């Protein structure tokens, strides 16, 4: 009988669960083509076409493109691998998403207790189908690799039952440095580690030893990137913090002052990491879930006196704190809040269920947790994953595909590049999916060019044999909000822009999709 008990499944059930999650992830890979993911795909394509890694410079996440460039080329040489770059980056995210779930399971096993096998699996499922981890595990984004290395470092340093402390310290330091390499903001984990060391009253020598290893690994990584890219990283990072982002088209400040509104927006972005914000009802429900979960965790923390709670709380603190003041509405930077919160929630559920003497109450509690996970899964699946898997729902892609059909390969497309979802996505979609050269008025004006300079530049393209087309959102009779935003960004008068268009001799009007069209110069 014992060999058929739940205990006998301890080795294979987590692996089976992980395989099932992987199949769900892979079967429903979205084709809504995230903006940033398309940018990363274009970077990767450019490096592969040029066969030169030095042409791709992304100091915010210096390891992401180089690692994928080497991986793609290695697979191509080994097995003739030749897939769309976006799909390759989705697979990369998926693999690291599954690895992150495995590490989360290992941490839950230590925190919740080895006797709570049901909750270990449940915690893995909750982490898998919460909106934030699910979204970034199936999109061509940078975050899952970084989250994996943060989680792996925390496991090695604080949760792995390993007597060799030096090995754990070196391994965790390397993991944290790699995490920062996939996105520099992951370096905030160093603050969490320092907090735990202080609370545990570690000796100065042990603290210094850890940070020496971490500093050496991180500086080595960044130095290699700086030498290869010839970028002054200190200047670049300073400009980023000041909002001088050259890719934004104009100066954007990500900083938010101390305010109730900023804190509320930050809490909402954490809640969005659990449920897709597809409606006000789901947003309210996710906030209630966050508040109830937090109260549940605090109650368990006070009563259990489990030291693992403050380690996981220290993991949350620097990320929630920093990203309450910087880009506070963006839930992508709250993954390092969502994952440890889920682990804490699972551990708290294990603590309270362990104290229950009545088997009926235990069954009801387990059933309630399963209903919660099923509700989260269905909400995120039906409101995001399922519709994102239908290419017909991606208007931005359909516009780029139509442009590819109605223009010659050497054509150049002029767009506004601001003011609407389509106009913003056109900045990367037209070049990546349509393979056409793009002139972005928002960027050209931000570089100090006048409207006359831009017209002269476009006419020069024509003299070189390049057919030049204006996308309709850059025309006065096009999408009003787009032009209003363009004029506002660069303090232009509508009359001046109207004269700019009058001087251009448009020859033909070509329908694209819906009410959008191209006008050829």
């Amino acid at each position: 009988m014992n060999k058929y008990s739940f205990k006998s499944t301890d080795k294979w059930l987590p692996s089976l669960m992980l395989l099932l999650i992987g199949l769900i992830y892979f079967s429903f890979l979205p084709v809504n083509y995230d903006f940033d993911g398309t940018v990363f795909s274009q970077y990767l394509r450019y490096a592969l076409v040029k066969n030169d890694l030095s042409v791709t410079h992304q100091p915010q996440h210096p390891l992401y493109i180089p690692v994928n460039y080497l991986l793609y080329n290695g697979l191509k040489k080994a097995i003739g691998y030749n897939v769309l770059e976006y799909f390759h980056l989705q697979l990369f995210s998926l693999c690291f998403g599954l690895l992150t779930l495995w590490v989360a399971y290992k941490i839950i096993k230590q925190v919740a207790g080895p006797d709570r096998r049901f909750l270990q699996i449940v915690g893995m499922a909750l982490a898998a189908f919460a909106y934030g981890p699910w979204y970034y595990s199936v999109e061509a984004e940078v975050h899952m690799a970084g989250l994996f290395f943060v989680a792996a470092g925390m496991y090695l340093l604080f949760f792995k039952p390993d007597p060799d402390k030096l090995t754990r310290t070196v391994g965790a330091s390397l993991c944290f440095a790699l995490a920062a390499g996939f996105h520099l903001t992951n370096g905030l984990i160093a603050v969490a580690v320092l907090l735990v060391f202080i609370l545990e009253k570690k000796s100065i020598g042990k603290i210094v030893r850890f940070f020496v290893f971490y500093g050496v690994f991180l500086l080595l990584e960044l130095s290699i990137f700086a030498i290869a890219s010839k970028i002054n990283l200190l200047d670049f990072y300073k400009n980023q913090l000041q909002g001088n982002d050259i890719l934004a088209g104009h100066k954007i400040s990500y900083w938010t002052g101390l305010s109730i509104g900023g804190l509320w927006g930050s809490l909402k972005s954490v809640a969005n990491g659990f449920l897709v914000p597809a409606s006000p009802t789901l947003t309210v429900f996710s906030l209630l879930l966050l508040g109830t979960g937090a109260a549940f965790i605090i109650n368990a923390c006070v009563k259990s006196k489990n030291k693992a709670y403050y380690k996981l709380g220290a993991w949350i603190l620097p990320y929630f704190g920093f990203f309450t003041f910087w880009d506070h509405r963006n839930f992508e930077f709250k993954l390092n809040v969502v994952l440890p919160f889920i682990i804490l929630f699972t551990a708290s559920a294990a603590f309270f269920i362990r104290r229950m003497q009545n088997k009926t109450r235990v069954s009801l509690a387990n059933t309630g947790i399963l209903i919660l996970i099923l509700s989260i899964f269905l909400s995120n699946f039906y409101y995001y994953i399922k519709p994102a898997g239908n290419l017909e729902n991606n208007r931005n892609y359909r516009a780029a595909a139509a442009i590819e059909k109605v223009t010659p390969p050497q054509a150049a497309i002029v767009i506004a590049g601001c003011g609407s979802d389509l106009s913003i996505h056109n900045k990367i979609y037209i070049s990546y999916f349509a393979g056409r050269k793009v002139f972005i008025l928002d960027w050209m004006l931000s570089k100090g060019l006048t409207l006359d300079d831009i017209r002269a530049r476009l006419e020069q393209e024509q003299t070189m044999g390049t057919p030049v087309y204006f996308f309709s959102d850059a025309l006065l009779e096009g999408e009003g909000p787009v032009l209003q935003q363009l004029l506002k960004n660069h303090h232009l008068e509508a009359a001046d822009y109207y004269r700019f268009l009058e001087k251009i001799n448009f020859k033909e009007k070509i329908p694209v999709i819906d009410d959008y069209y191209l006008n050829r110069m």
Side-chain angles (χ1 to χ4, degrees), residues 17 19 33 101 170 193 225 256 270 353 467 480 505 521:
M17 185 65 183
L19 177 62
Y33 300 125
L101 293 177
V170 174
V193 171
F225 178 84
T256 303
V270 175
I353 290 173
N505 181 25
M521 284 180 63

Side-chain angles (χ1 to χ4, degrees), residues 172-425:
S173 302
L174 179 59
C175 282
F176 293 145
L178 290 171
F182 280 101
H183 202 292
L184 205 68
T185 57
N186 288 317
L188 287 168
I189 196 62
V191 178
V193 171
L194 182 60
L195 286 173
V196 175
F197 283 166
I198 292 172
L199 289 171
E200 292 186 337
K201 298 179 180 179
K202 295 287 187 184
S203 68
I204 297 296
K206 289 181 179 179
I207 295 174
V208 169
R209 182 178 67 179
F210 169 81
F211 280 99
V212 165
F213 281 122
Y214 175 63
V216 167
F217 287 136
L218 184 59
L219 286 174
L220 179 63
E221 179 180 280
L222 294 177
S223 296
I224 293 171
F225 178 84
I227 292 168
S229 64
K230 299 178 182 178
I231 291 177
N232 186 323
L233 292 182
L234 290 178
D235 281 348
F236 182 89
Y237 296 141
K238 182 184 73 175
N239 285 329
Q240 283 287 109
L241 288 173
Q242 293 175 346
N244 298 321
D245 188 346
I246 59 171
L247 296 180
H250 48 87
K251 183 169 181 174
I252 294 178
S253 176
Y254 294 99
W255 289 106
T256 303
L258 180 61
S259 66
I260 297 298
L263 178 60
W264 178 244
S266 186
L267 285 169
K268 283 178 67 176
S269 69
V270 175
N272 292 342
F274 297 99
L275 282 175
V276 55
S279 70
T281 302
L282 283 174
T283 299
V284 170
F285 186 73
S286 63
L287 285 165
L288 288 173
L289 184 65
L290 177 64
T292 304
F296 189 62
I297 290 166
I298 292 169
N299 191 14
C301 180
V302 171
K303 292 180 178 179
S304 72
K305 301 187 184 336
N306 187 338
K307 291 183 178 180
Y309 281 77
Y310 71 74
K311 295 174 183 177
L312 292 164
W315 182 355
I316 290 172
L317 191 60
Y319 292 96
F320 181 77
F322 181 80
F323 291 110
T324 294
F325 297 99
W326 195 81
D327 205 5
H328 66 287
R329 293 189 182 92
N330 199 337
F331 81 96
E332 70 181 276
F333 295 122
K334 300 298 184 2
L335 290 174
N336 277 298
V337 175
V338 171
L339 182 61
F341 187 94
I342 289 171
I343 295 171
L344 279 168
F345 178 82
T346 308
S348 301
F351 170 73
F352 284 112
I353 290 173
R354 189 180 287 112
R355 298 178 70 186
M356 292 178 183
Q357 302 298 322
N358 188 309
K359 290 186 177 180
T360 302
R361 292 178 65 188
V362 171
S363 297
L364 287 173
N366 288 335
T367 302
I369 292 171
L370 285 176
I371 291 172
L372 173 66
I373 292 173
L374 184 61
S375 300
I376 289 173
F377 171 84
L378 291 175
S379 297
N380 292 329
F381 180 79
Y382 282 104
Y383 285 102
Y384 174 72
I385 296 296
K386 186 178 179 182
N390 185 353
L391 199 56
E392 284 300 309
N393 293 331
N394 190 341
R395 185 181 66 159
N396 303 318
Y397 173 81
R398 289 191 292 113
I403 288 171
E404 183 184 21
K405 287 182 181 179
V406 299
T407 61
Q410 71 275 22
I413 315 297
V414 181
I415 65 170
C418 62
S420 76
D421 184 66
L422 177 60
S423 185
I424 291 169
H425 280 77

Side-chain angles (χ1 to χ4, degrees), residues 102-136:
W102 182 254
V103 175
Y105 164 78
K106 301 289 280 186
I107 297 175
I108 290 169
K109 189 175 181 180
Q110 292 298 315
V111 178
D115 59 325
R116 301 290 102 185
R117 293 176 179 83
F118 170 74
L119 284 173
Q120 292 163 16
I121 300 301
V122 161
M124 184 195 292
L126 184 56
F129 299 124
Y131 179 57
W134 194 351
Y135 179 93
Y136 286 105

